Amino acid sequence: APDWDKMGKSSPAAAPQMLSKKDVEEMNPIGRLLDKKKDLKLTEAQVASLKELDTKGSARDASLFEAMDSLRKEMRPSGGNAGGDQRLRLMGAREHFAKAVGDVRANYAADEPLALAALDAAQRPAAMQLLDKQRAEATETVSKKMAPAGGGAGGRGQRPPA
């Protein structure tokens, strides 16, 4: 028989996963291309061009990452029973966090054609395959770590708080 007392305290499923800064940074297509520069046989000039694009993108997204850091802290429950005010605060923070993640992903999507333009025709097919795989991984990570508590039904189907 399951030990219900332990499940609520130490079960990894009980602790909600949260999208980390690293998770979002790993969605960066330019970063992925730079990580695979040897596989793609990038020239020094191409690496320099991609690094310049990456630096510009990092500067552009800095405020979004700062907002995500603040919102991540705000999304932590402040102990005790989650009253109506706390629940509203958490929901609002979660919505803003999801929007910031969406904005960063949209920026990354806009960067992708610029990054691919820095490559030659022979390198593009392999790069596009890498980026397609990265996009699929990113979508899976976001859906896993941003799913509503309670399994995707917005917490419905659970017992109401006492």
Side-chain angles (χ1 to χ4, degrees), residues 110-126:
D111 288 344
E112 198 172 301
L114 301 173
L116 290 171
L119 308 181
D120 65 38
Q123 296 165 322
R124 280 191 199 112

Side-chain angles (χ1 to χ4, degrees), residues 127-144:
M128 290 171 71
Q129 194 172 21
L130 277 171
L131 298 180
D132 288 344
K133 182 180 179 200
Q134 180 191 38
R135 234 179 284 109
E137 291 167 355
T139 299
E140 184 179 331
T141 299
V142 168
S143 61
K144 229 189 271 184

Side-chain angles (χ1 to χ4, degrees), residues 19-37:
L19 207 56
S20 69
K21 179 179 181 179
K22 184 179 177 190
D23 290 330
V24 179
E25 287 173 338
E26 287 177 357
M27 298 174 192
N28 181 353
I30 298 170
R32 178 65 56 103
L33 295 176
L34 287 169
D35 289 345
K36 301 294 184 179
K37 65 185 171 193

Side-chain angles (χ1 to χ4, degrees), residues 5-122:
D5 292 330
K6 284 185 181 175
M7 282 190 164
K9 295 176 185 158
S10 63
S11 169
Q17 285 191 316
M18 195 174 299
L19 207 56
S20 69
K21 179 179 181 179
K22 184 179 177 190
D23 290 330
V24 179
E25 287 173 338
E26 287 177 357
M27 298 174 192
N28 181 353
I30 298 170
R32 178 65 56 103
L33 295 176
L34 287 169
D35 289 345
K36 301 294 184 179
K37 65 185 171 193
K38 286 185 181 178
D39 295 343
L40 294 168
K41 297 178 176 79
L42 300 181
T43 66
E44 287 182 32
Q46 289 170 320
V47 169
S49 176
L50 290 173
K51 283 183 177 180
E52 183 181 335
L53 285 171
D54 194 41
T55 300
K56 288 178 183 176
S58 293
R60 172 200 61 212
D61 294 335
S63 64
L64 292 169
F65 278 103
E66 287 172 19
M68 286 190 294
D69 286 341
S70 297
L71 291 164
R72 201 175 289 108
K73 291 173 190 164
E74 205 175 305
M75 287 190 297
R76 291 189 192 123
S78 58
N81 264 346
D85 288 345
Q86 181 178 348
R87 204 169 292 135
L88 287 174
R89 179 183 60 79
L90 293 173
M91 285 173 39
R94 181 182 175 79
E95 285 178 29
H96 290 296
F97 185 84
K99 182 180 180 338
V101 169
D103 289 349
V104 169
R105 289 189 73 195
N107 288 341
Y108 286 166
D111 288 344
E112 198 172 301
L114 301 173
L116 290 171
L119 308 181
D120 65 38

